[in-house]
Amino acid sequence: MIALLIVLAVLGSPRSAAAQARGQAPPPRPAQGARPQPARPQPPADTYFVNTLAPADMQNKQAVLETSMGTIVLDLLPDAAPNHVAHFITRAREGAYDGTIFHRVILNGIIQGGDPLSKDPAQSARYGTGGMRELRFERNGEPMTRGAVAAVLAPNMPDSGGSQFFICIFDQPAITGQYTVFGRVAEGLNVAQKISQAPAENTVPNERVVIRTVTIRDKAAPGPEPFSTETADELSRYRAVLETSLGNITFQFFPDKAPNHVRNFLRLASVGFYDGTAFHRVVKGFVIQGGFLPTRGEPLDITQDRYVRKMAPEFNDTAHDKGTVSLAHGDDPASGDTSFFIVLARTPVLDGKYSAFGRVVDGMDVVEKIEQVPVTGETPANRIELRKVTVSRVP
């Protein structure tokens, strides 16, 4: 207290006579009503990301996200959003995404991740606030369609993007143009959809869905579609084994009769389209039918979806005898795509009206078991699972 009083006394003492003699007049009295002016604050340093990558270093790049629920591969789009792509590549190479989580999910809508705070479970109350305000908005014409990858923004702040991103599970046309799309899912959209379906409370997953690593790689040059270059003789050497819940069935193919249908079936089988479908129709003495898309238990991946296409008919002189495999279609003969049927007895009415492309060479006893299952109308009372289709080549 004594020291404080001394200081106050010194600061509050009147000017000395010597000071007055030197003409050091006191400071002028403020004008009536004037207010002291505070010092003008300096603007904050610009924290926006600065790209140091050359354009050539961003072209034809993919990001591989290894998650606790599977792998998601992104095609990056530097022509649409160069700064966002450079930022994502830079942060990925720094390991910024490794150990983060998808902290927000909307069922079959979007999944959101990339918040650096989400590495720490103790910061859960702040998830969604980290890694923002690093990127200025880059407007582009990329539609917000299924598989689009875009930067997360704070409400009404277009220049607030950063490390956080979201993936569209299905088309979101209402938000096209409002977010910077900088990538698209090339593989693993089914994984992203499963993440969106994770049990959650108010969009927060009950369990941590971890992004274990994110790596950047060169995108492979596009090659020919599977089974698009083989000759008819080469295609004839392939077999398909259908693993069903009642046993295995093996197909042989007729590429000399219906080459495009053979290629179509082998292509779909090779990418796992038929895995997890079912034999959904049983008509005793007529056909059993499977491969129908709505019977599939898992969502399609991007590649699988790409190969689902309508088939122009290839009617031929193959008789629809017992064991013949043919493509199903609706009223339009060119409406067939994935669903096939196996004939249970000689059925001339199908000849020339459906494209026969193969036959059962092993497992006809399994076909007969399926024929005998209880049905309601034409629908099996219990699901007959087509667990997996394996393609192999015989000598």
Side-chain angles (χ1 to χ4, degrees), residues 3 7 10 16 18 76-77 92 108 111 120 126 129 137 163 253 288 292 314 317 331 342 346 356 369 377 384:
V7 170
V10 171
S16 65
L76 301 178
L77 307 175
N108 296 329
I111 59 175
D120 182 4
R126 300 178 60 202
T129 65
F137 187 71
S163 299
F253 298 101
I288 62 172
F292 188 40
E314 293 179 301
D317 59 2
D331 293 338
I342 302 172
R346 175 74 180 107
K369 284 182 187 177
I384 306 168

Side-chain angles (χ1 to χ4, degrees), residues 218-264:
D218 291 331
K219 182 179 179 180
E225 289 187 350
F227 301 100
S228 63
T229 61
E230 288 83 352
T231 65
D233 181 64
E234 290 171 330
L235 290 172
S236 69
R237 300 178 187 178
Y238 284 95
R239 301 290 183 269
V241 178
L242 286 64
E243 301 176 23
T244 84
S245 52
L246 293 179
N248 292 354
I249 305 167
T250 302
F251 288 174
Q252 176 187 17
F253 298 101
F254 304 147
D256 57 327
K257 303 293 186 179
N260 292 329
H261 283 65
V262 172
R263 296 181 196 280
N264 182 63

Side-chain angles (χ1 to χ4, degrees), residues 20-362:
Q20 293 177 14
R22 290 194 295 269
Q24 294 180 346
R29 180 176 298 175
Q32 188 70 27
R35 296 288 187 271
Q37 296 297 311
R40 179 173 295 177
Q42 295 298 312
D46 191 339
T47 59
Y48 285 102
F49 171 78
V50 177
N51 176 22
T52 60
L53 300 178
D57 295 333
M58 298 186 290
Q59 292 293 330
N60 297 313
K61 297 296 183 184
Q62 290 183 320
V64 182
L65 284 62
E66 299 289 353
T67 84
S68 55
M69 293 184 68
T71 302
I72 303 172
V73 179
L74 312 180
D75 282 340
L76 301 178
L77 307 175
D79 292 338
N83 216 41
H84 281 66
V85 169
H87 179 270
F88 190 91
I89 290 174
T90 301
R91 294 291 182 260
R93 288 173 173 166
E94 293 170 350
Y97 295 108
D98 301 354
T100 60
I101 67 169
F102 286 102
H103 63 275
R104 181 171 180 249
V105 298
I106 296 177
L107 178 63
N108 296 329
I110 67 165
I111 59 175
Q112 181 176 331
D115 184 346
L117 296 177
S118 67
K119 294 184 179 185
D120 182 4
Q123 298 284 333
S124 59
R126 300 178 60 202
Y127 290 175
T129 65
M132 302 290 287
R133 297 176 178 83
E134 298 176 356
L135 291 166
R136 299 187 188 280
F137 187 71
E138 289 182 287
R139 187 178 302 279
N140 58 50
E142 291 292 330
M144 199 68 72
T145 48
R146 186 171 185 249
V149 184
V152 172
L153 300 177
N156 303 314
M157 295 182 66
D159 292 337
S160 60
S163 299
Q164 291 189 54
F165 62 91
F166 66 92
I167 299 174
C168 287
I169 307 304
F170 286 105
D171 295 356
Q172 307 281 341
I175 59 174
T176 290
Q178 298 180 32
Y179 297 84
T180 299
V181 175
F182 66 91
R184 292 198 175 276
V185 176
E187 301 172 28
L189 187 57
N190 55 337
V191 174
Q193 186 167 347
K194 283 192 285 187
I195 293 172
S196 83
Q197 297 167 350
E201 177 108 13
N202 294 326
T203 75
V204 178
N206 296 341
E207 303 289 339
R208 289 175 65 85
V209 182
V210 181
I211 302 174
R212 291 171 176 156
T213 61
V214 176
T215 55
I216 305 299
R217 72 183 186 190
D218 291 331
K219 182 179 179 180
E225 289 187 350
F227 301 100
S228 63
T229 61
E230 288 83 352
T231 65
D233 181 64
E234 290 171 330
L235 290 172
S236 69
R237 300 178 187 178
Y238 284 95
R239 301 290 183 269
V241 178
L242 286 64
E243 301 176 23
T244 84
S245 52
L246 293 179
N248 292 354
I249 305 167
T250 302
F251 288 174
Q252 176 187 17
F253 298 101
F254 304 147
D256 57 327
K257 303 293 186 179
N260 292 329
H261 283 65
V262 172
R263 296 181 196 280
N264 182 63
F265 186 91
L266 291 173
R267 185 180 298 125
L268 290 170
S270 70
V271 297
F273 171 88
Y274 290 114
D275 302 354
T277 59
F279 282 96
H280 65 285
R281 181 177 181 228
V282 173
V283 184
K284 291 178 174 59
F286 183 46
V287 300
I288 62 172
Q289 187 172 335
F292 188 40
L293 177 57
T295 69
R296 198 173 193 275
E298 296 288 339
L300 291 180
D301 196 356
I302 291 288
T303 302
Q304 295 165 338
D305 188 54
R306 185 184 304 131
Y307 292 152
V308 176
R309 57 191 61 158
K310 300 301 182 185
M311 298 297 298
E314 293 179 301
F315 301 147
N316 54 71
D317 59 2
T318 302
H320 282 78
D321 293 325
K322 183 174 183 178
T324 298
V325 181
S326 205
L327 191 72
H329 63 70
D331 293 338
D332 180 358
S335 63
D337 47 26
T338 66
S339 186
F340 61 90
F341 60 88
I342 302 172
V343 181
L344 300 176
R346 175 74 180 107
T347 312
V349 70
L350 299 174
D351 294 347
K353 297 179 181 178
Y354 290 84
S355 300
F357 64 91
R359 68 180 176 192
V360 175
V361 292
D362 191 24

